[in-house]
Amino acid sequence: MNAATTKTNHHSDQPSVKITINKVGLDRPRAWLAAGVEDFRRATVVSLSYGMFWVGLSIAITLGAFTLGYWYWLLPMIAGFMFIGPLVAVGSYGISRALERGQVPNLGDAFGSWRPHAGQLAMMGVMMMIFFLAWIRLATLLFALFFGFEVPSPATLYTALLTTSEGLGMLAVGTVAGGILAFGAFAISVVAIPTLMDQDLTFMEGIEASVRCVARNFRVMLLWAVILTLCVLVGVMTFYIGLALILPVLGHASWHAYEELVRFNSLEKISS
């Protein structure tokens, strides 16, 4: 079973592209992960290099935050990674697409795959940044609500998060509120970004396809969101090192998820 809509050509009332959303089963996320691992195996050097780039950037941001005295922003920023993760995966999409075309992937595929549709991807970046800034604002308000406006020492704060009622309450409320916000960001981006890389569509059309995809496969996409979140958390808990492997694999897997969930068929234009 599938659901379809059409994209209308800007210069004609006749639809030019039929967008089909496929219905998939709960077993598919495992298949997507397996395909992601296989892509990583076939392009290990390029994929690992791309993952290591983001690990290095994450470490640099962390060290910078401690050096400048903004260490208290680290926890909400790490949690907020889920809002920008789909954009980080763009390079992995480029690698997977090159493999499918029978090409040998290189760093150009990883770092330059966004260029053909830079404008629309930039608009998606703005959308994701809005979610990220909303999360940062929410985290700030929650901290003030539970701990006040005075920032304690790192040891005191992180101990209080796990051993006091205020800390546990903030974690509980923050997890629920952040989870709802993160799923909203996931819903508009899960297939929108690979769609914009693969098709000549606007970012709003990509968002529409993504939302319809989540609505049609809600349980599957909820499971996929949980898997992505848990994998990223594991990577962060290894002091980012595990992300060098996890980020590329998840990116490759997300590309294969997109290809199975969304199908595009060109329609012949009716001449007037």
Side-chain angles (χ1 to χ4, degrees), residues 32-82:
W32 300 335
L33 285 174
V37 171
E38 177 61 18
D39 279 3
F40 185 89
R41 185 194 66 79
R42 294 174 60 194
T44 303
V45 174
V46 177
S47 294
L48 189 60
S49 297
Y50 186 70
M52 290 177 65
F53 167 80
W54 290 106
V55 169
L57 184 60
S58 299
I59 292 174
I61 292 174
T62 300
L63 292 177
F66 273 101
T67 301
L68 298 175
Y70 294 110
W71 56 268
Y72 47 87
W73 285 109
L74 284 177
L75 189 59
M77 287 179 66
I78 290 173
F81 180 83
M82 300 308 301

Side-chain angles (χ1 to χ4, degrees), residues 2-271:
N2 55 56
T5 188
T6 55
K7 171 184 179 286
T8 302
N9 186 281
H10 297 296
H11 305 290
S12 171
D13 291 333
Q14 298 298 334
S16 59
V17 177
K18 179 181 179 182
I19 305 175
T20 301
I21 305 299
N22 296 322
K23 181 79 172 177
V24 299
L26 283 169
D27 61 322
R28 299 316 297 161
R30 184 171 62 178
W32 300 335
L33 285 174
V37 171
E38 177 61 18
D39 279 3
F40 185 89
R41 185 194 66 79
R42 294 174 60 194
T44 303
V45 174
V46 177
S47 294
L48 189 60
S49 297
Y50 186 70
M52 290 177 65
F53 167 80
W54 290 106
V55 169
L57 184 60
S58 299
I59 292 174
I61 292 174
T62 300
L63 292 177
F66 273 101
T67 301
L68 298 175
Y70 294 110
W71 56 268
Y72 47 87
W73 285 109
L74 284 177
L75 189 59
M77 287 179 66
I78 290 173
F81 180 83
M82 300 308 301
F83 299 103
I84 61 174
L87 293 171
V88 170
V90 165
S92 297
Y93 301 158
I95 296 171
S96 290
R97 185 171 59 180
L99 288 171
E100 290 178 352
R101 293 175 175 175
Q103 302 170 352
V104 178
N106 54 49
L107 290 177
D109 295 311
F111 290 99
S113 56
W114 53 271
R115 290 177 182 170
H117 301 95
Q120 298 304 318
L121 287 171
M123 292 303 298
M124 276 302 304
V126 171
M127 295 294 295
M128 302 310 290
M129 187 56 65
I130 290 173
F131 275 93
F132 179 77
L133 293 177
W135 161 246
I136 293 296
R137 181 60 175 170
L138 176 62
T140 302
L141 291 174
L142 286 176
F143 183 87
L145 178 63
F146 285 93
F147 287 99
F149 294 97
E150 184 175 350
V151 180
S153 66
T156 301
L157 176 60
Y158 292 127
T159 299
L161 284 175
L162 300 175
T163 60
T164 66
S165 58
E166 292 83 0
L168 293 173
M170 190 183 78
L171 286 177
V173 175
T175 298
V176 173
I180 295 172
L181 195 62
F183 190 76
F186 171 83
I188 71 168
S189 66
V190 60
V191 299
I193 294 176
T195 292
L196 295 179
M197 282 186 57
D198 198 33
Q199 300 290 325
D200 185 19
L201 301 175
T202 67
F203 79 100
M204 287 303 298
E205 289 167 328
I207 289 175
E208 180 189 1
S210 192
V211 171
R212 289 174 53 233
C213 180
V214 172
R216 187 162 180 79
N217 298 279
F218 184 78
R219 290 194 302 164
V220 177
M221 302 315 293
L222 181 60
L223 174 61
W224 186 231
V226 171
I227 291 173
L228 295 176
T229 301
L230 292 178
C231 287
V232 170
L233 285 177
V234 170
V236 170
M237 291 173 64
T238 62
F239 299 99
Y240 307 125
I241 302 302
L243 293 176
L245 170 64
I246 290 172
L247 288 181
V249 168
L250 293 182
H252 298 320
S254 296
W255 176 262
H256 290 285
Y258 150 73
E259 288 196 315
E260 183 171 347
L261 290 164
V262 186
R263 188 170 72 250
F264 301 91
N265 298 311
S266 296
L267 301 178
E268 293 184 1
K269 298 178 183 178
I270 301 176
S271 57

